[in-house]
Amino acid sequence: MKIPVPEHIRKLEAYQPGKPIKEVERELGLKNTIKMASNENPLGPCPGAVKAAVRALNEVHYYPEGGGFYLCEALSRYYGVAKEQIILGNGSVELIEIAAKTFIQKGLNTVFSDGAFAMYRIATLAMDGDVKVVPMAGRTHDLKAMAKAVDENTRLMLVANPNNPTGTYNSFKEVKELMESVPDTVLVIVDEAYKEYVRKEDYKSAACLLEKHKNLLVLGTFSKAYGLAGLRIGYGFGDPELLQTLHKVRSPFNTSLVAQEACIAALDDREFVKQSVELNYVEMEYLEKELSSLGLKYTPSVCNFILVDVPGSGKAFFEALLREGVIVRPMAMSGFPGSIRVTICKREGNKRFIEATKKVLKSLK
Ligand SMILES: *Cc1c(COP(=O)(O)O)cnc(C)c1O
């Protein structure tokens, strides 16, 4: 290619998504592989959402409502946040990109913690911004250190709560103190992709801090607990003036008509999320017990995945599991070269993972 690529794009490393089942089966000549790599819902998609999506297909000769008016209304009712305080993204990841496009340019920086979601780095570097990576306290965000890392060129701070890939969380009190200590010239994005799964007394969504802090954007998604990752809808709660600024950068029809309709229906299907979370904890207990009995260390998780420390490199372990037809995720890209991340599935899948892990461990001896 003869087109000159700007230096900051040339240096950028592309996001490595979890391997799709079909790709793995094709490459390794396997059948019946199981994917535990992308934190997708093992119960499949929320059924009410699928029905609504099928109905909406008959309307797709129309452009969608650009801002997703009715979905914003449904989210507003569900969460008690004003419609003007809601913005939709093609997945919540797009909202992170929109925020970076809006606020980051050369010379400006984003603060996030080591071992955070890989997209935070990519979104910043793509805008030629700098990343200020703050070490974690153990495997949890060190919010005090993150606040201290802010300088006059900081425009964004990204906090996944709970965090992927560690599965750890910060208490509401800590997040509140963070908002109180960060200057209001920094947009703090609290990414709550896994909030539905958390069962901790001291955890709460940061959305109730919006009243007081205009420099806050709280993200949620339909990709995890609602089982709608393939439809690509995430949402952000923020101050109306902030959202007006983000809307300027948002592509006009960034979420599809089918996805909007499906997500409106999903919000009505409370039973599905409840079932998903209940299954998650039964299976988490099973996996924790089995991992311990294999002598493997893991990070206690409040999400639908577990970060497991393995002997040798996470990449080698991942590849060995792949040959057994089990797709997990190596985590070197997020700063954990000796770990794999495993999505909690139904019992049958979790058992297969444990059996495959036993085999791999034996072959290492
Ligand atoms: C899965 C995930 C998301 C959700 O991404 P979508 O674009 O909404 O599918 C966001 N943040 C983190 C940390 C995640 O793990």
Side-chain angles (χ1 to χ4, degrees), residues 90-93 117 120 160 164 191 193-194 221 223-224 232-234:
N90 197 263
S92 48
V93 158
F117 191 35
Y120 301 168
N164 171 13
D191 177 354
Y194 301 94
T221 184
S223 296
K224 308 286 156 60
R232 313 300 307 125
I233 294 230

Side-chain angles (χ1 to χ4, degrees), residues 134-248:
V134 179
M136 289 188 134
R139 287 197 166 176
T140 314
H141 300 308
D142 187 342
L143 297 188
K144 286 207 172 87
M146 286 172 76
K148 279 206 194 100
V150 169
D151 64 29
E152 72 277 8
N153 294 321
T154 303
R155 293 293 180 277
L156 290 184
M157 178 183 288
L158 277 150
V159 184
N161 194 29
N163 186 47
N164 171 13
T166 55
T168 53
Y169 74 104
N170 293 94
S171 72
F172 177 70
K173 182 167 167 277
E174 284 177 272
V175 176
K176 187 165 165 275
E177 284 167 4
L178 174 76
M179 288 314 299
E180 279 156 11
S181 59
V182 170
D184 56 11
T185 49
V186 176
L187 175 62
V188 179
I189 302 181
V190 182
D191 177 354
E192 299 181 347
Y194 301 94
K195 69 179 168 196
E196 291 89 351
Y197 289 99
V198 187
R199 286 177 166 173
K200 294 283 177 187
E201 289 274 322
D202 57 351
Y203 177 85
K204 190 158 86 171
S205 167
C208 62
L209 297 170
L210 286 170
E211 207 57 55
K212 199 158 161 218
H213 299 282
K214 311 285 179 213
N215 59 323
L216 173 64
L217 183 67
V218 182
L219 302 183
T221 184
F222 287 94
S223 296
K224 308 286 156 60
Y226 289 92
L228 300 175
L231 280 181
R232 313 300 307 125
I233 294 230
Y235 52 89
F237 299 148
D239 182 66
E241 199 182 328
L242 165 69
L243 299 196
Q244 282 313 318
T245 309
L246 298 178
H247 276 301
K248 291 190 199 177

Side-chain angles (χ1 to χ4, degrees), residues 287-324:
L287 280 172
E288 287 180 346
K289 209 173 100 223
E290 295 292 325
L291 287 168
S292 298
S293 76
L294 292 175
L296 291 175
K297 277 217 187 94
Y298 58 85
T299 307
S301 169
V302 297
C303 300
N304 66 341
F305 56 83
I306 307 179
L307 187 68
V308 183
D309 301 339
V310 293
S313 86
K315 187 160 177 285
F317 209 91
F318 150 77
E319 279 162 2
L321 284 173
L322 208 54
R323 288 189 287 272
E324 300 299 323

Side-chain angles (χ1 to χ4, degrees), residues 22 24 56 69 82 88 99 103 129 212 220 240 253 260-261 285 342:
K22 286 202 180 102
V24 171
F69 183 88
L88 303 181
F103 294 109
K212 199 158 161 218
F253 303 106
Q260 289 175 19
E261 290 298 324
E285 205 182 311
V342 186

